Amino acid sequence: MQNKPIGIFDSGVGGTSIFKEIHALLPNEDCIYLADSKNAPYGNRSKEDILQLCIKNTEFLLHRNCKLIVVACNTATTNAISYLREHYDIPFIGIEPAIKPAALNTKTKTVGILATKGTLSSLLFHKTSDLYASGITIVEQIGEGIVPLIESGQLHSDRMESLLEKYLEPMLEQQIDYLVLGCTHYPYLIPILNKLLPENVTIIDSGLAVAKQTKTILDANDLLNGSNNKPNIQFYSNTDTEVLKSILGGSFKVEYLDF
């Protein structure tokens, strides 16, 4: 089991922000990454649609003998991970917006969260907010249009900058000092956000925490790969592979697969 791969899936290329943290922390682990870009964004879909897509991706990764699956999508986690954990006999790691550290450290008592509709409307998100953000004002903003722009190769575009300016304005008016990124696509926005935000606003994403949790769960289940062999890293996309290749910077081979 230790030599089997880690499976990772997302509604497109965003989950590569999670993969990069996992690969940096666990460089010996084989990985299989599914970019379900054909069905992106998950955030605008119904709960039933999201669940069926997660089952499809999980079944694919199980057929490839994955020992653990990272649901590298906030919307998929909040809508489907409970079902996946109940119905499949391997560990699942999910992604949640990092509200807790923002709520614990805010000085202005106001925190912004940029996320998809599917995440912000989910029961899990509201449970997390209620648990950790009592007495804190949470300024929620749906990032409508961000994922399609990233998936179409328009990350560094005037349209993206205009969208972000519009979404940040009400948060800044309420004097947020933390911005929580609630979608795995969004860490790729950080260079743009750093230009648009004042210096007192701290950006938080979940990537490193997810990588640490992955290592913890692998260790607890005696699944860590102790080999020093070069890892086998496989990326699959069910649309044009060029966007995924550009996000990865040419470091890994990307294959087209209609899954």
Side-chain angles (χ1 to χ4, degrees):
M1 283 292 288
Q2 285 120 333
N3 295 329
K4 291 183 177 181
I6 295 170
I8 305 171
F9 74 80
D10 178 41
S11 61
V13 304
T16 55
S17 64
I18 301 295
F19 160 77
K20 289 175 181 179
E21 297 282 6
I22 291 172
H23 184 55
L25 189 65
L26 300 165
N28 299 325
E29 295 288 346
D30 295 350
C31 293
I32 300 174
Y33 182 96
L34 296 184
D36 191 18
S37 297
K38 181 170 66 176
N39 295 299
Y42 284 5
N44 294 334
R45 293 178 171 273
S46 69
K47 182 177 176 66
E48 184 56 35
D49 278 352
I50 295 164
L51 179 59
Q52 292 306 315
L53 290 168
C54 291
I55 290 171
K56 166 187 70 83
N57 296 336
T58 295
E59 295 281 357
F60 178 94
L61 291 170
L62 289 177
H63 283 129
R64 296 296 181 97
N65 294 314
C66 289
K67 61 185 177 184
L68 172 147
I69 293 177
V70 180
V71 182
C73 172
N74 294 76
T75 300
T77 297
T78 51
N79 288 278
I81 200 161
S82 294
Y83 177 94
L84 298 176
R85 285 173 172 158
E86 288 170 11
H87 288 81
Y88 297 99
D89 192 26
I90 66 165
F92 284 85
I93 306 292
I95 316 295
E96 287 186 65
I99 295 170
K100 182 179 178 180
L104 289 175
N105 291 289
T106 176
K107 301 291 191 296
T108 64
K109 302 300 180 185
T110 306
V111 170
I113 176 162
L114 185 64
T116 66
K117 179 181 177 183
T119 293
L120 292 176
S121 62
S122 70
L123 182 61
L124 181 57
F125 169 74
H126 286 287
K127 280 184 176 179
T128 304
S129 296
D130 292 343
L131 184 62
Y132 296 118
S134 177
I136 304 296
T137 300
I138 304 290
V139 185
E140 299 178 12
Q141 176 61 57
I142 296 172
E144 187 71 38
I146 292 176
V147 170
L149 282 176
I150 294 174
E151 290 290 332
S152 62
Q154 299 180 71
L155 172 60
H156 302 288
S157 64
D158 291 341
R159 174 62 180 151
M160 180 68 83
E161 193 158 328
S162 295
L163 267 184
L164 292 176
E165 285 177 341
K166 182 175 77 171
Y167 294 157
L168 293 174
E169 185 177 357
M171 297 185 187
L172 295 176
E173 285 177 354
Q174 295 190 60
Q175 298 186 316
I176 65 164
D177 60 354
Y178 278 83
L179 174 63
V180 178
L181 303 182
C183 171
T184 55
H185 283 73
Y186 295 176
Y188 290 111
L189 302 171
I190 289 175
I192 308 168
L193 291 169
N194 281 333
K195 287 197 308 179
L196 300 176
L197 290 167
E199 289 184 2
N200 70 305
V201 178
T202 302
I203 300 169
I204 297 183
D205 73 86
S206 305
L208 181 57
V210 171
K212 289 179 177 178
Q213 178 68 357
T214 301
K215 182 178 181 180
T216 297
I217 297 300
L218 287 174
D219 193 22
N221 289 276
D222 196 25
L223 293 173
L224 281 171
N225 189 340
S227 166
N228 288 319
N229 295 336
K230 183 179 179 181
N232 181 18
I233 310 291
Q234 302 170 61
F235 287 90
Y236 297 104
S237 173
N238 54 16
T239 61
D240 180 6
T241 60
E242 290 306 311
V243 175
L244 184 51
K245 287 177 182 175
S246 68
I247 286 284
L248 293 168
S251 305
F252 302 95
K253 181 181 177 183
V254 179
E255 295 181 47
Y256 171 79
L257 185 70
D258 187 17
F259 62 88

